[in-house]
Amino acid sequence: MKRILLISNSTLYGSGYLDHAEVEIRSFLGDLKRVLFVPFALHDQDKYAATAQQRFAKMGYELSSIHTADDAAKAVTDTDAVFIGGGNTFRLLRALYDFDLLGPIRDRVAAGMPYIGSSAGSNVAGPTIRTTNDMPIVQPPSFDALGLVPFQLNPHYLDADPNSKHMGETREERVLQFLEENDTPVVGLREGAMLRIENNDIILRGTTGARIFRKGLDAIETLPGTHLIAFL
């Protein structure tokens, strides 16, 4: 029954906030009207919520922010859908623990409530946040996240630049280091890519591809329209 939309990035070069994802968001939410926004990944939550509220209003949806709710868990229960925005994944996950929201969100998603995540909001949909690109500016009680999907996410995935003189690890090398210590597959979502999960299917959407990493196996390159369930 799970319905999940995981977006790599909120803003794509050359376009505005969520412009590149509007068609997919509209298709995903359909006739639902109330969306609960989770702005915990950024420091200025009022400004972030106002930005999201204006953007969703243009799409015809009524968006409220959980940071203004008297009872955060009840807000999750009462909404039609949840949207968790991007920012710092460690700060986001710590707040989800602080407000005891992991359980309520898991329960609603398991019952069929649509979940939209972007960047950090996509990271926390996986079993853990161990494949985020973010600095640990705060320390959550655990790296364990929502576990809505059985694979790790690496949004903003970057391919190695053959002309670069940078000598640090590539993104692929860092993901492979994760798989030296862990068995969970990792989906590297390039900017412009998103995953739509419903009816026990996982479809790569958007305008760019994704790279799938599995322990002991060669990485798989996938293009929009690919059904990923066989690989994950």
Side-chain angles (χ1 to χ4, degrees):
M1 295 180 64
K2 289 182 181 178
R3 302 188 64 239
I4 301 169
L5 180 64
L6 302 179
I7 305 167
S8 179
N9 51 300
S10 300
T11 305
L12 190 65
Y13 180 77
S15 62
Y17 180 65
L18 292 177
D19 286 353
H20 69 292
E22 177 174 350
V23 171
E24 199 65 43
I25 291 172
R26 284 177 178 271
S27 170
F28 182 68
L29 291 178
D31 295 332
L32 299 179
K33 289 301 178 185
R34 296 176 302 163
V35 178
L36 181 66
F37 182 54
V38 180
F40 296 146
L42 290 187
H43 178 71
D44 191 340
Q45 297 175 15
D46 289 336
K47 181 178 179 181
Y48 197 13
T51 298
Q53 189 173 47
Q54 292 170 7
R55 188 65 184 85
F56 271 75
K58 289 181 179 179
M59 293 188 283
Y61 299 103
E62 174 189 334
L63 184 141
S64 60
S65 182
I66 198 169
H67 83 289
T68 64
D70 293 331
D71 186 331
K74 187 174 186 300
V76 173
T77 300
D78 292 344
T79 191
D80 295 329
V82 163
F83 169 44
I84 301 187
N88 186 276
T89 306
F90 293 91
R91 176 159 50 195
L92 168 59
L93 185 59
R94 187 179 72 170
L96 293 177
Y97 274 102
D98 287 347
F99 289 98
D100 198 19
L101 290 171
L102 294 172
I105 294 173
R106 283 191 199 110
D107 291 345
R108 288 297 320 278
V109 174
M113 179 192 70
Y115 175 100
I116 302 174
S118 179
S119 190
S122 294
N123 276 326
V124 297
T128 78
I129 63 167
R130 290 192 179 102
T131 50
T132 178
N133 305 315
D134 300 328
M135 283 188 176
I137 60 173
V138 298
Q139 184 169 324
S142 169
F143 291 157
D144 292 344
L146 287 164
L148 305 180
V149 295
F151 50 88
Q152 294 285 133
L153 277 298
N154 182 249
H156 307 277
Y157 180 81
L158 288 173
D159 295 293
D161 180 358
N163 298 314
S164 175
K165 294 181 174 61
H166 177 65
M167 298 304 293
E169 292 97 330
T170 65
R171 188 67 58 77
E172 180 163 352
E173 287 171 334
R174 291 189 184 278
V175 171
L176 292 176
Q177 288 170 356
F178 168 82
L179 289 172
E180 290 171 353
E181 303 289 343
N182 301 273
D183 297 327
T184 311
V186 182
V187 177
L189 277 180
R190 294 186 180 88
E191 295 201 340
M194 55 198 85
L195 296 178
R196 183 160 172 169
I197 301 151
E198 51 191 345
N199 299 324
N200 296 316
D201 197 7
I202 305 170
I203 305 175
L204 181 63
R205 306 287 234 183
T207 57
T208 57
R211 199 157 171 81
I212 299 175
F213 299 90
R214 298 170 296 175
K215 192 179 185 74
L217 298 172
D218 291 337
I220 298 173
E221 189 64 36
T222 57
L223 296 175
T226 302
H227 294 256
L228 305 185
I229 192 68
F231 308 123
L232 298 169

